Structure formats: C-alpha cells, structure tokens
Amino acid sequence: MQRFIDKVVVITGGSSGIGLAAARQFAAEGAHVYIAGRRTAELDEAVAAIGDRATAVQADVARIDDLQRLYRTVQAAHGRVDVVFANAGLVVNGMLEDLTDEQYQRQFDVNVKGVLFTVQLALPLMGPGGTVVLNGSIAGIKAFPASSLYSASKAAVRSFARSWTLDLKGRGIRVNVVSPGPTETNVLQASGYTAEQVSQAKDHLAQAIPLGRMAQADEVARGVLFLASEDSSFMAGGELFIDGGIAQV
Ligand SMILES: NC(=O)c1ccc[n+]([C@@H]2O[C@H](COP(=O)([O-])OP(=O)(O)OC[C@H]3O[C@@H](n4cnc5c(N)ncnc54)[C@H](OP(=O)(O)O)[C@@H]3O)[C@@H](O)[C@H]2O)c1
C-alpha cells in the first residue's frame, strides 16, 4: 500500500517504540516523516533506520518554544502538515498518598500539555483532509495500582479527541485516538523501572491479556496508519483499541 505518497507526517516520540514503528510504516508508504524527541543520539539512529524520507528535530513536547521550532522546520521545507501523530508520552507511577507536585507536573506536562500544543501549533499548517492521531492507552479507561497520574493523563487525551473534533468541525481535519494495550517498547525502562520490575510487569500483563502476549509496536502502528489514512474516513473523535482484548472483556 502507498497511502501516504508525499504526505508530510509529524510524529512526536518518533525515535523509539510505537512512534518509531509508525514512522517506518509511514515512510514505507511514501510519506516525508518528521520525528521529534529529546535525545539526539536516539533520533539519529532512528533516522538511519527509517531512511532518507525521515528528518529528526530535537524537541521536548513539554516546551512550547521547541514545538514552535519543530513546525518552523517543517514549514520551511514543506509548507504544510498532513498528519500529526501526537505520541510522545511517559509513565509516572506512585500511590496516591505518595504523589508529589513534581510528579504531577512531569506526567501532565508531557502527556497532556505536550499533546495539546503538538496539535494546536500544527493547525496553521493543516488543511482539509488533514488527520490527527493521539496516542491514548487502555489506562484511560482502566485502573491499575499506583497509576492514577498516568490513567488520568490518558483519559484527558481521549477527551481531547472528542472536544477537538467539534472545535475543528468545518476545517476537514479528523482527530482520533489509538489506545494500545501493553506493548513491547522502552516505555517502562524510560520511566525509571528496574529490569526486574519491567520483567515482573510484563509477565503479569501477558497473563492478563486474552491473547496471552504483549503487542509488538508494529501492530499498534498499523492502527495508527489506519486512523491517519482515508481508510478511516468516517471516523471522528473515536478510539481504536489495539490491546489483545485486555480492556474489552
Ligand atoms: N508501551 C506500552 O505498553 C504503551 C501502552 C499504551 C500506550 N502507550 C503510549 O505510547 C506512547 C509511546 O510510548 P512507547 O511505548 O513507544 O515508549 P518509548 O519506546 O519509551 O518511546 C517514547 C518516545 O517518546 C519520546 N519522548 C518522551 N518524552 C518526550 C518529551 N518530553 N518530548 C519529546 N519526546 C518525548 C521518547 O524520546 P526521548 O526520551 O528521547 O524524548 C521516545 O521517542 C506513549 O504516549 C505511551 O503512553 C504505550
């Protein structure tokens, strides 16, 4: 399939995991892909893996000036954005009684504020036919111990898609959410878990998933491309769960 020939796609958190898998698939289908992340070495590695249809821009989604610079770079080269995948996110864990102001800020600055301004600042470059995909999570509709900040952040992301569908009514821009279940990526390590904690969490999650395993990032990315493409032309404000059934049964 070549659904994205010469489309301009911006992916935050495109240097790893689900974002990188999506970047590879978009590029393979003909898109120019801009990937953003904080660490330049990982971005450079990702560009090498994706190929010459990828451009990296170092940016922290929690910083509005970084996002402005990202879109200035895209505008200078292409003058427009066709697809935004607001994907960058992290997990901050803690039981209610232990949560701190710093943890709250860190979780919501990246997962909520970052998504808000990633999309808002793209709008001047987007026209009719543009699509926005937000990365939610099954955590947006489910509870896990010590995960209230993360779950609340993802519930906010899911809510954004509903409200923005109305705010963008008439502009021909569709917004939808992909909500993965547990997926084999670096998200837990990146969020400060020890190797033992990651291994325990993976075992526990795999047992709880009806399909008996975690997702591969490519399986989630295929859903992202569906939501970003004309294949989902009558979806708006919706949510696509790719979760092996864990949040469905
Ligand atoms: N893996 C799962 O089980 C799972 C399940 C449901 C939802 N999700 C969601 O999927 C999304 C991607 O996570 P992943 O699992 O693919 O994790 P990952 O492999 O850790 O990738 C996260 C990406 O986000 C980037 N990132 C993190 N903070 C950022 C910031 N402040 N500014 C810019 N980029 C930032 C990271 O690069 P830098 O660190 O270099 O910035 C990296 O490229 C997240 O929103 C996560 O909540 C994951």
Side-chain angles (χ1 to χ4, degrees):
M1 277 190 287
Q2 289 282 292
R3 292 171 292 183
F4 298 97
I5 291 173
D6 288 335
K7 298 283 187 195
V8 180
V9 177
V10 174
I11 301 176
T12 60
S15 58
S16 174
I18 296 166
L20 174 58
R24 294 176 81 135
Q25 292 183 19
F26 276 116
E29 291 204 31
H32 301 276
V33 182
Y34 284 81
I35 58 169
R38 293 164 303 175
R39 292 166 302 163
T40 49
E42 280 71 8
L43 285 169
D44 292 345
E45 255 179 59
V47 167
I50 299 164
D52 58 10
R53 304 189 75 82
T55 305
V57 179
Q58 191 279 333
D60 181 341
V61 296
R63 295 178 56 98
I64 289 174
D65 49 349
D66 280 11
L67 289 170
Q68 288 168 330
R69 182 167 42 76
L70 165 66
Y71 288 116
R72 277 200 304 273
T73 306
V74 181
Q75 182 170 29
H78 292 282
R80 67 174 207 284
V81 171
D82 298 300
V83 176
V84 175
F85 180 30
N87 163 74
L90 46 78
V91 178
V92 177
N93 250 6
M95 297 293 281
L96 172 60
E97 60 267 35
D98 301 323
L99 293 175
T100 65
D101 189 16
E102 183 279 328
Q103 286 178 307
Y104 171 83
Q105 295 290 344
R106 186 152 43 92
Q107 184 69 90
F108 277 74
D109 271 3
V110 177
N111 289 23
V112 181
K113 176 183 163 187
V115 168
L116 165 54
F117 290 104
T118 293
V119 177
Q120 187 207 63
L121 293 169
L123 292 177
L125 298 179
M126 295 186 82
T131 52
V132 174
V133 181
L134 312 180
N135 204 337
S137 169
I138 58 163
I141 61 156
K142 278 185 79 71
F144 299 95
S147 288
S148 60
L149 283 178
Y150 182 66
S151 283
S153 75
K154 292 301 187 178
V157 168
R158 201 277 167 259
S159 179
F160 277 160
R162 293 193 175 98
S163 304
W164 294 347
T165 292
L166 295 182
D167 289 352
L168 297 174
K169 193 177 166 196
R171 290 181 62 152
I173 299 171
R174 294 185 299 115
V175 185
N176 288 290
V177 181
V178 65
S179 284
T183 307
E184 295 274 7
T185 70
N186 295 323
V187 73
L188 294 181
Q189 292 91 322
S191 300
Y193 288 72
T194 64
E196 195 189 338
Q197 285 171 322
V198 171
S199 163
Q200 279 173 357
K202 283 184 173 177
D203 287 349
H204 172 74
L205 288 166
Q207 279 169 21
I209 297 167
L211 292 187
R213 64 175 176 85
M214 293 172 68
Q216 297 300 311
D218 267 326
E219 295 176 287
V220 178
R222 286 198 288 274
V224 174
L225 270 76
F226 167 73
L227 292 174
S229 76
E230 277 297 293
D231 289 345
S232 62
S233 55
F234 204 57
M235 279 189 73
E239 182 169 21
L240 177 62
F241 286 95
I242 301 181
D243 67 353
I246 189 172
Q248 313 307 316
V249 297

